[in-house]
């Protein structure tokens, strides 16, 4: 019979628990790594005339600058 003292048994138990926990985390991380995310609702837009930066709605081609009220075309 193999004799194992309490400290060794506790270390083996903790090592096995840590190995299984990190293995489960690595598997879930690798599965979710390549998933596509939703497109952003707002994009940072710079006004062509006054160079003011604001958040314009994504999906529209023309947005209005809140500072000078001019229309800007998305790049
Ligand atoms: Zn502007």
């Amino acid at each position: 019979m193999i004799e194992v003292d309490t400290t060794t048994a506790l270390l083996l138990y903790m090592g096995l628990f840590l190995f299984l926990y990190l293995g489960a985390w690595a598997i879930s991380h690798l599965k979710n790594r390549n998933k596509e995310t939703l497109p952003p609702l707002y994009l940072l837009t710079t006004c062509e005339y006054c160079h003011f930066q604001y958040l314009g709605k994504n999906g529209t081609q023309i947005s209005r600058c809140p500072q000078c009220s001019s229309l800007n075309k998305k790049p």
Side-chain angles (χ1 to χ4, degrees):
M1 179 124 189
I2 301 172
E3 291 184 20
V4 177
D5 60 343
T6 309
T7 306
T8 305
L10 186 65
L11 285 176
L12 284 174
Y13 174 74
M14 290 177 67
L16 182 66
F17 175 75
L18 193 63
F19 178 75
L20 291 176
Y21 184 77
L22 289 177
W25 174 81
I27 289 172
S28 69
H29 177 72
L30 291 176
K31 277 186 177 178
N32 295 330
R33 189 174 59 174
N34 293 330
K35 283 188 177 177
E36 292 184 18
T37 59
L38 293 174
L41 294 176
Y42 296 96
L43 290 177
L44 186 63
T45 308
T46 305
C47 179
E48 297 174 11
Y49 304 100
C50 67
H51 300 288
F52 181 72
Q53 291 187 335
Y54 60 96
L55 292 176
K57 281 189 179 179
N58 193 8
T60 58
Q61 291 297 320
I62 297 175
S63 62
R64 183 176 295 275
C65 174
Q67 189 170 18
C68 67
S69 299
S70 63
L71 296 175
N72 293 295
K73 185 179 178 184
K74 292 275 174 82

Coordinates of all heavy atoms in Angstrom, one line a residue:
M1 N 0.8 -1.2 0.0 CA 0.0 0.0 0.0 C 0.9 1.2 0.0 O 1.9 1.3 0.6 CB -0.9 0.0 1.2 CG -1.8 1.1 1.4 SD -3.5 0.5 1.5 CE -4.3 2.0 1.4
I2 N 0.4 2.2 -0.7 CA 1.2 3.5 -0.8 C 0.8 4.4 0.4 O -0.4 4.6 0.6 CB 0.9 4.2 -2.1 CG1 1.2 3.3 -3.3 CG2 1.6 5.5 -2.2 CD1 0.8 3.9 -4.7
E3 N 1.8 4.8 1.1 CA 1.6 5.7 2.2 C 1.7 7.1 1.8 O 2.6 7.6 1.1 CB 2.6 5.4 3.3 CG 2.5 4.1 4.0 CD 3.4 3.9 5.1 OE1 3.9 5.0 5.6 OE2 3.7 2.8 5.5
V4 N 0.6 7.9 2.0 CA 0.5 9.3 1.7 C 0.2 10.1 2.9 O -0.9 9.8 3.6 CB -0.5 9.6 0.6 CG1 -0.6 11.0 0.2 CG2 -0.2 8.8 -0.7
D5 N 1.0 11.1 3.3 CA 0.6 11.9 4.4 C -0.4 12.9 4.1 O -0.8 13.1 2.9 CB 1.9 12.5 5.1 CG 2.6 13.4 4.1 OD1 2.3 13.3 2.9 OD2 3.4 14.2 4.6
T6 N -0.9 13.6 5.1 CA -2.1 14.5 4.9 C -1.7 15.7 4.0 O -2.5 16.1 3.1 CB -2.5 15.1 6.2 OG1 -2.7 14.0 7.1 CG2 -3.8 15.9 6.1
T7 N -0.5 16.2 4.1 CA -0.1 17.4 3.3 C 0.0 17.0 1.8 O -0.4 17.7 0.9 CB 1.3 17.9 3.8 OG1 1.2 18.2 5.2 CG2 1.7 19.1 3.0
T8 N 0.6 15.9 1.5 CA 0.7 15.4 0.1 C -0.7 15.2 -0.5 O -0.9 15.5 -1.6 CB 1.5 14.1 0.1 OG1 2.8 14.4 0.7 CG2 1.8 13.7 -1.4
A9 N -1.6 14.6 0.3 CA -2.9 14.3 -0.2 C -3.6 15.6 -0.5 O -4.3 15.8 -1.5 CB -3.7 13.5 0.8
L10 N -3.5 16.6 0.4 CA -4.1 17.9 0.2 C -3.6 18.6 -1.0 O -4.3 19.2 -1.8 CB -3.9 18.8 1.5 CG -4.7 20.1 1.5 CD1 -6.2 19.8 1.5 CD2 -4.3 20.9 2.7
L11 N -2.2 18.5 -1.2 CA -1.6 19.1 -2.4 C -2.1 18.4 -3.7 O -2.3 19.1 -4.7 CB -0.1 19.1 -2.3 CG 0.5 20.2 -1.3 CD1 2.0 20.0 -1.2 CD2 0.2 21.6 -1.8
L12 N -2.2 17.1 -3.7 CA -2.6 16.4 -4.8 C -4.1 16.8 -5.1 O -4.4 17.0 -6.3 CB -2.5 14.9 -4.6 CG -1.1 14.3 -4.7 CD1 -1.1 12.8 -4.3 CD2 -0.6 14.5 -6.1
Y13 N -4.9 16.9 -4.1 CA -6.3 17.2 -4.3 C -6.4 18.6 -4.9 O -7.2 18.9 -5.9 CB -7.1 17.2 -3.0 CG -8.5 17.7 -3.1 CD1 -9.5 16.9 -3.7 CD2 -8.8 18.9 -2.5 CE1 -10.7 17.4 -3.8 CE2 -10.1 19.4 -2.6 CZ -11.1 18.6 -3.2 OH -12.3 19.1 -3.3
M14 N -5.7 19.6 -4.4 CA -5.7 21.0 -4.9 C -5.1 21.1 -6.3 O -5.7 21.8 -7.1 CB -5.0 21.9 -3.9 CG -5.7 22.1 -2.6 SD -4.7 23.2 -1.5 CE -4.8 24.7 -2.3
G15 N -4.1 20.3 -6.6 CA -3.5 20.3 -7.9 C -4.5 19.7 -8.9 O -4.6 20.3 -10.0
L16 N -5.1 18.7 -8.6 CA -6.1 18.1 -9.5 C -7.3 19.0 -9.7 O -7.8 19.2 -10.9 CB -6.6 16.7 -8.9 CG -7.6 16.0 -9.8 CD1 -6.9 15.5 -11.1 CD2 -8.2 14.8 -9.0
F17 N -7.8 19.7 -8.7 CA -8.9 20.6 -8.8 C -8.5 21.8 -9.7 O -9.2 22.2 -10.6 CB -9.3 21.1 -7.4 CG -10.3 22.2 -7.5 CD1 -11.6 21.9 -7.7 CD2 -10.0 23.5 -7.3 CE1 -12.6 22.9 -7.8 CE2 -10.9 24.5 -7.3 CZ -12.2 24.2 -7.6
L18 N -7.3 22.3 -9.5 CA -6.8 23.4 -10.3 C -6.6 23.0 -11.8 O -7.0 23.8 -12.7 CB -5.5 24.0 -9.7 CG -5.0 25.3 -10.2 CD1 -6.0 26.4 -9.9 CD2 -3.6 25.6 -9.7
F19 N -6.1 21.8 -12.0 CA -5.9 21.3 -13.4 C -7.3 21.2 -14.1 O -7.4 21.6 -15.2 CB -5.2 20.0 -13.3 CG -5.0 19.4 -14.7 CD1 -4.1 19.9 -15.6 CD2 -5.8 18.3 -15.1 CE1 -3.9 19.3 -16.8 CE2 -5.6 17.7 -16.3 CZ -4.7 18.2 -17.2
L20 N -8.3 20.6 -13.4 CA -9.6 20.5 -14.0 C -10.3 21.8 -14.2 O -10.9 22.1 -15.3 CB -10.5 19.6 -13.1 CG -10.1 18.1 -13.1 CD1 -11.0 17.4 -12.1 CD2 -10.2 17.5 -14.5
Y21 N -10.1 22.7 -13.3 CA -10.7 24.1 -13.4 C -10.1 24.8 -14.6 O -10.8 25.4 -15.4 CB -10.5 24.8 -12.1 CG -11.2 26.2 -12.1 CD1 -12.6 26.3 -11.9 CD2 -10.5 27.3 -12.3 CE1 -13.2 27.5 -11.9 CE2 -11.1 28.6 -12.3 CZ -12.5 28.7 -12.1 OH -13.1 29.9 -12.1
L22 N -8.8 24.8 -14.7 CA -8.1 25.5 -15.8 C -8.4 24.9 -17.1 O -8.5 25.5 -18.2 CB -6.6 25.6 -15.5 CG -6.2 26.6 -14.4 CD1 -4.7 26.6 -14.2 CD2 -6.7 28.0 -14.7
G23 N -8.5 23.5 -17.1 CA -8.9 22.8 -18.4 C -10.3 23.2 -18.9 O -10.5 23.5 -20.1
A24 N -11.2 23.3 -18.0 CA -12.6 23.7 -18.3 C -12.6 25.1 -18.8 O -13.3 25.5 -19.8 CB -13.5 23.5 -17.2
W25 N -11.8 26.0 -18.2 CA -11.8 27.4 -18.6 C -11.1 27.5 -20.0 O -11.6 28.2 -20.9 CB -11.0 28.2 -17.6 CG -10.7 29.6 -18.1 CD1 -11.6 30.7 -18.0 CD2 -9.6 30.1 -18.8 NE1 -11.1 31.8 -18.6 CE2 -9.9 31.5 -19.1 CE3 -8.4 29.6 -19.2 CZ2 -8.9 32.3 -19.8 CZ3 -7.5 30.4 -19.9 CH2 -7.8 31.7 -20.2
A26 N -10.0 26.7 -20.2 CA -9.4 26.8 -21.5 C -10.3 26.3 -22.7 O -10.3 26.9 -23.8 CB -8.1 26.0 -21.5
I27 N -11.0 25.2 -22.4 CA -11.9 24.7 -23.4 C -13.0 25.7 -23.7 O -13.3 26.0 -24.9 CB -12.5 23.4 -23.0 CG1 -11.4 22.3 -23.0 CG2 -13.7 23.0 -23.8 CD1 -11.9 21.0 -22.4
S28 N -13.6 26.3 -22.7 CA -14.7 27.3 -23.0 C -14.1 28.6 -23.7 O -14.8 29.2 -24.5 CB -15.4 27.7 -21.7 OG -14.5 28.4 -20.9
H29 N -12.9 29.0 -23.3 CA -12.2 30.1 -24.0 C -12.0 29.8 -25.4 O -12.2 30.7 -26.3 CB -10.9 30.5 -23.2 CG -10.2 31.6 -23.9 ND1 -10.6 32.9 -23.8 CD2 -9.1 31.6 -24.6 CE1 -9.8 33.7 -24.5 NE2 -8.8 32.9 -25.0
L30 N -11.5 28.7 -25.8 CA -11.2 28.3 -27.2 C -12.5 28.2 -28.0 O -12.5 28.5 -29.2 CB -10.4 27.0 -27.2 CG -9.0 27.2 -26.7 CD1 -8.3 25.8 -26.8 CD2 -8.2 28.2 -27.6
K31 N -13.6 27.8 -27.4 CA -14.8 27.6 -28.1 C -15.4 29.0 -28.4 O -16.0 29.2 -29.5 CB -15.9 26.9 -27.2 CG -15.7 25.4 -27.4 CD -16.9 24.7 -26.6 CE -16.8 23.2 -26.8 NZ -17.9 22.5 -26.0
N32 N -15.3 30.0 -27.5 CA -16.0 31.3 -27.7 C -15.0 32.3 -28.3 O -15.4 33.4 -28.5 CB -16.4 31.8 -26.3 CG -17.5 31.0 -25.7 OD1 -18.3 30.4 -26.5 ND2 -17.6 30.9 -24.4
R33 N -13.8 31.9 -28.7 CA -12.9 32.9 -29.2 C -13.2 33.4 -30.6 O -13.0 34.6 -30.9 CB -11.5 32.3 -29.2 CG -10.4 33.2 -29.5 CD -9.0 32.6 -29.4 NE -8.9 31.5 -30.3 CZ -7.8 30.8 -30.5 NH1 -6.7 31.1 -29.8 NH2 -7.8 29.8 -31.3
N34 N -13.8 32.6 -31.4 CA -14.0 32.9 -32.8 C -15.4 33.4 -33.1 O -15.8 33.5 -34.3 CB -13.6 31.8 -33.7 CG -12.2 31.5 -33.7 OD1 -11.4 32.4 -33.5 ND2 -11.8 30.2 -33.9
K35 N -16.2 33.6 -32.1 CA -17.6 34.0 -32.3 C -17.6 35.5 -32.7 O -16.9 36.3 -32.2 CB -18.4 33.9 -31.0 CG -18.8 32.5 -30.8 CD -19.8 32.4 -29.6 CE -20.3 31.0 -29.4 NZ -21.2 30.9 -28.2
E36 N -18.5 35.8 -33.7 CA -18.6 37.2 -34.1 C -19.5 37.9 -33.2 O -20.4 37.4 -32.6 CB -19.3 37.2 -35.5 CG -18.4 36.6 -36.6 CD -19.0 36.7 -38.0 OE1 -20.0 37.5 -38.1 OE2 -18.6 36.0 -38.9
T37 N -19.1 39.2 -33.0 CA -19.9 40.1 -32.1 C -20.8 40.9 -32.9 O -20.6 41.1 -34.1 CB -18.9 40.9 -31.3 OG1 -18.1 41.7 -32.1 CG2 -18.0 40.1 -30.4
L38 N -21.7 41.6 -32.3 CA -22.6 42.5 -33.0 C -21.9 43.7 -33.4 O -21.0 44.2 -32.7 CB -23.8 42.8 -32.0 CG -24.7 41.7 -31.7 CD1 -25.7 42.1 -30.6 CD2 -25.5 41.2 -32.9
P39 N -22.3 44.3 -34.5 CA -21.7 45.6 -34.9 C -22.0 46.7 -33.9 O -23.1 46.7 -33.3 CB -22.3 45.9 -36.3 CG -23.5 45.1 -36.3 CD -23.3 43.9 -35.5
P40 N -21.2 47.7 -33.7 CA -21.4 48.8 -32.8 C -22.6 49.6 -33.2 O -22.8 49.8 -34.4 CB -20.1 49.5 -32.8 CG -19.5 49.2 -34.1 CD -19.9 47.8 -34.4
L41 N -23.4 50.1 -32.3 CA -24.5 51.0 -32.6 C -24.1 52.4 -33.1 O -24.7 53.0 -33.9 CB -25.4 51.1 -31.4 CG -26.1 49.8 -31.0 CD1 -27.0 50.0 -29.7 CD2 -27.0 49.3 -32.1
Y42 N -23.0 52.9 -32.5 CA -22.5 54.2 -32.8 C -21.0 54.1 -33.2 O -20.3 53.3 -32.7 CB -22.6 55.1 -31.6 CG -24.1 55.3 -31.2 CD1 -24.7 54.6 -30.2 CD2 -24.9 56.3 -31.9 CE1 -26.0 54.8 -29.9 CE2 -26.2 56.5 -31.5 CZ -26.7 55.7 -30.5 OH -28.0 55.9 -30.2
L43 N -20.6 55.0 -34.2 CA -19.3 55.0 -34.6 C -18.7 56.5 -34.4 O -19.5 57.4 -34.5 CB -19.1 54.7 -36.1 CG -19.4 53.3 -36.5 CD1 -19.3 53.1 -38.0 CD2 -18.4 52.4 -35.8
L44 N -17.5 56.5 -34.0 CA -16.9 57.9 -33.8 C -16.7 58.5 -35.2 O -16.0 58.0 -36.1 CB -15.5 57.7 -33.1 CG -14.8 59.0 -32.7 CD1 -15.7 59.8 -31.7 CD2 -13.5 58.7 -32.1
T45 N -17.3 59.7 -35.3 CA -17.3 60.4 -36.6 C -16.6 61.8 -36.4 O -16.9 62.4 -35.4 CB -18.7 60.6 -37.1 OG1 -19.3 59.3 -37.1 CG2 -18.7 61.1 -38.5
T46 N -15.8 62.2 -37.3 CA -15.2 63.5 -37.3 C -15.9 64.4 -38.3 O -16.0 64.0 -39.5 CB -13.7 63.4 -37.5 OG1 -13.1 62.5 -36.6 CG2 -13.0 64.8 -37.4
C47 N -16.3 65.6 -37.9 CA -16.9 66.5 -38.8 C -15.9 67.0 -39.8 O -14.7 67.3 -39.5 CB -17.5 67.7 -38.1 SG -18.2 68.9 -39.1
E48 N -16.2 67.1 -41.1 CA -15.3 67.5 -42.2 C -15.0 69.0 -42.1 O -14.0 69.4 -42.6 CB -15.9 67.1 -43.5 CG -16.0 65.6 -43.7 CD -16.7 65.3 -45.1 OE1 -16.9 66.2 -45.9 OE2 -17.1 64.2 -45.2
Y49 N -15.9 69.7 -41.5 CA -15.8 71.2 -41.6 C -15.2 71.8 -40.3 O -14.3 72.6 -40.3 CB -17.2 71.8 -41.8 CG -17.8 71.2 -43.1 CD1 -18.8 70.2 -43.0 CD2 -17.4 71.7 -44.3 CE1 -19.3 69.7 -44.2 CE2 -17.9 71.2 -45.5 CZ -18.9 70.2 -45.4 OH -19.4 69.7 -46.6
C50 N -15.7 71.3 -39.1 CA -15.2 71.9 -37.9 C -14.3 70.9 -37.1 O -13.8 71.3 -36.0 CB -16.3 72.4 -37.0 SG -17.4 71.1 -36.3
H51 N -14.1 69.7 -37.6 CA -13.3 68.7 -37.0 C -13.8 68.3 -35.6 O -13.0 67.9 -34.7 CB -11.8 69.1 -36.9 CG -11.3 69.3 -38.3 ND1 -11.0 68.3 -39.2 CD2 -10.9 70.5 -39.0 CE1 -10.5 68.8 -40.3 NE2 -10.5 70.1 -40.2
F52 N -15.0 68.5 -35.3 CA -15.6 68.1 -34.0 C -15.9 66.6 -34.1 O -16.4 66.1 -35.1 CB -16.9 68.9 -33.8 CG -17.6 68.5 -32.5 CD1 -17.0 68.9 -31.3 CD2 -18.7 67.8 -32.4 CE1 -17.6 68.6 -30.1 CE2 -19.3 67.5 -31.2 CZ -18.8 67.9 -30.1
Q53 N -15.5 65.9 -33.1 CA -15.8 64.4 -33.0 C -17.0 64.1 -32.2 O -17.2 64.6 -31.1 CB -14.6 63.7 -32.4 CG -13.3 63.8 -33.4 CD -12.2 62.9 -32.9 OE1 -12.1 62.7 -31.7 NE2 -11.3 62.5 -33.8
Y54 N -17.9 63.3 -32.8 CA -19.1 62.9 -32.2 C -19.5 61.5 -32.5 O -18.9 60.9 -33.4 CB -20.2 63.9 -32.6 CG -20.5 63.9 -34.1 CD1 -21.5 63.1 -34.6 CD2 -19.8 64.7 -34.9 CE1 -21.8 63.1 -35.9 CE2 -20.0 64.6 -36.3 CZ -21.0 63.9 -36.8 OH -21.3 63.9 -38.1
L55 N -20.5 60.9 -31.8 CA -20.9 59.5 -32.1 C -22.1 59.6 -33.1 O -23.1 60.1 -32.7 CB -21.3 58.8 -30.8 CG -20.1 58.6 -29.8 CD1 -20.7 57.9 -28.5 CD2 -19.1 57.6 -30.5
G56 N -21.8 59.0 -34.3 CA -22.9 59.0 -35.2 C -23.5 57.6 -35.3 O -22.8 56.6 -35.0
K57 N -24.8 57.5 -35.6 CA -25.4 56.2 -35.7 C -24.8 55.3 -36.8 O -24.6 55.8 -37.9 CB -26.9 56.3 -35.9 CG -27.7 56.7 -34.7 CD -29.1 56.6 -35.0 CE -29.9 57.0 -33.7 NZ -31.4 57.0 -33.9
N58 N -24.6 54.1 -36.5 CA -24.0 53.2 -37.5 C -25.2 52.7 -38.4 O -26.3 52.5 -38.0 CB -23.4 51.9 -36.8 CG -22.6 51.1 -37.7 OD1 -22.3 51.5 -38.9 ND2 -22.1 50.0 -37.3
G59 N -24.9 52.6 -39.7 CA -25.9 52.1 -40.7 C -26.5 53.3 -41.5 O -27.1 53.0 -42.5
T60 N -26.2 54.5 -41.1 CA -26.7 55.6 -41.9 C -25.5 56.2 -42.7 O -24.4 56.2 -42.1 CB -27.3 56.8 -41.1 OG1 -26.4 57.2 -40.1 CG2 -28.6 56.2 -40.3
Q61 N -25.7 56.7 -43.9 CA -24.6 57.2 -44.7 C -24.3 58.7 -44.4 O -23.2 59.1 -44.6 CB -24.9 57.0 -46.2 CG -24.9 55.6 -46.6 CD -23.6 54.9 -46.5 OE1 -22.5 55.5 -46.8 NE2 -23.6 53.7 -46.0
I62 N -25.3 59.4 -43.9 CA -25.1 60.8 -43.7 C -25.5 61.1 -42.2 O -26.5 60.6 -41.7 CB -26.0 61.7 -44.6 CG1 -25.5 61.4 -46.1 CG2 -25.9 63.1 -44.3 CD1 -26.4 62.1 -47.1
S63 N -24.7 61.9 -41.5 CA -25.0 62.2 -40.2 C -24.8 63.7 -40.0 O -24.1 64.4 -40.8 CB -24.1 61.5 -39.2 OG -22.7 61.9 -39.4
R64 N -25.5 64.3 -39.0 CA -25.4 65.7 -38.8 C -24.5 66.1 -37.6 O -24.7 65.5 -36.6 CB -26.8 66.3 -38.5 CG -26.9 67.8 -38.4 CD -28.3 68.3 -38.2 NE -29.1 68.0 -39.4 CZ -29.2 68.9 -40.5 NH1 -28.5 70.0 -40.5 NH2 -29.9 68.6 -41.5
C65 N -23.6 67.0 -37.8 CA -22.7 67.4 -36.8 C -23.5 68.2 -35.7 O -24.2 69.1 -36.0 CB -21.6 68.3 -37.3 SG -20.5 69.0 -36.1
P66 N -23.4 67.8 -34.4 CA -24.1 68.5 -33.4 C -23.6 69.9 -33.1 O -24.3 70.7 -32.5 CB -24.0 67.6 -32.2 CG -22.8 66.8 -32.4 CD -22.6 66.7 -33.9
Q67 N -22.4 70.2 -33.5 CA -21.8 71.5 -33.2 C -22.1 72.6 -34.3 O -22.5 73.7 -34.0 CB -20.3 71.4 -33.0 CG -19.7 72.7 -32.4 CD -18.2 72.4 -32.0 OE1 -17.6 71.5 -32.4 NE2 -17.7 73.3 -31.2
C68 N -21.9 72.2 -35.6 CA -22.1 73.2 -36.6 C -23.3 72.8 -37.5 O -23.6 73.6 -38.5 CB -20.8 73.3 -37.5 SG -20.4 71.8 -38.4
S69 N -24.0 71.7 -37.3 CA -25.2 71.3 -38.0 C -24.9 71.1 -39.4 O -25.9 71.1 -40.2 CB -26.3 72.3 -37.8 OG -26.6 72.4 -36.4
S70 N -23.7 70.8 -39.9 CA -23.5 70.4 -41.3 C -23.6 68.9 -41.4 O -23.5 68.1 -40.5 CB -22.1 70.9 -41.7 OG -21.1 70.3 -40.9
L71 N -23.9 68.5 -42.7 CA -24.1 67.1 -43.0 C -22.7 66.5 -43.3 O -22.0 67.1 -44.1 CB -25.1 66.9 -44.1 CG -26.5 67.4 -43.8 CD1 -27.4 67.3 -45.0 CD2 -27.1 66.6 -42.6
N72 N -22.4 65.3 -42.8 CA -21.2 64.6 -43.1 C -21.5 63.3 -43.6 O -22.4 62.6 -43.2 CB -20.4 64.5 -41.8 CG -19.9 65.8 -41.3 OD1 -19.1 66.5 -41.9 ND2 -20.4 66.2 -40.1
K73 N -20.7 62.9 -44.6 CA -20.8 61.6 -45.2 C -19.8 60.6 -44.5 O -18.7 61.0 -44.2 CB -20.4 61.7 -46.7 CG -20.6 60.4 -47.5 CD -20.3 60.6 -48.9 CE -20.4 59.3 -49.7 NZ -20.0 59.5 -51.1
K74 N -20.3 59.4 -44.3 CA -19.5 58.4 -43.6 C -18.4 57.9 -44.6 O -18.6 57.8 -45.8 CB -20.4 57.2 -43.2 CG -21.4 57.5 -42.2 CD -20.7 57.3 -40.8 CE -21.7 57.7 -39.7 NZ -22.6 56.7 -39.3
P75 N -17.2 57.7 -44.1 CA -16.1 57.2 -44.9 C -16.4 55.8 -45.4 O -17.1 55.0 -44.8 CB -14.9 57.3 -44.0 CG -15.4 57.3 -42.6 CD -16.8 57.8 -42.7
Ligands
LIG1 ZN1 -19.1 70.2 -37.5

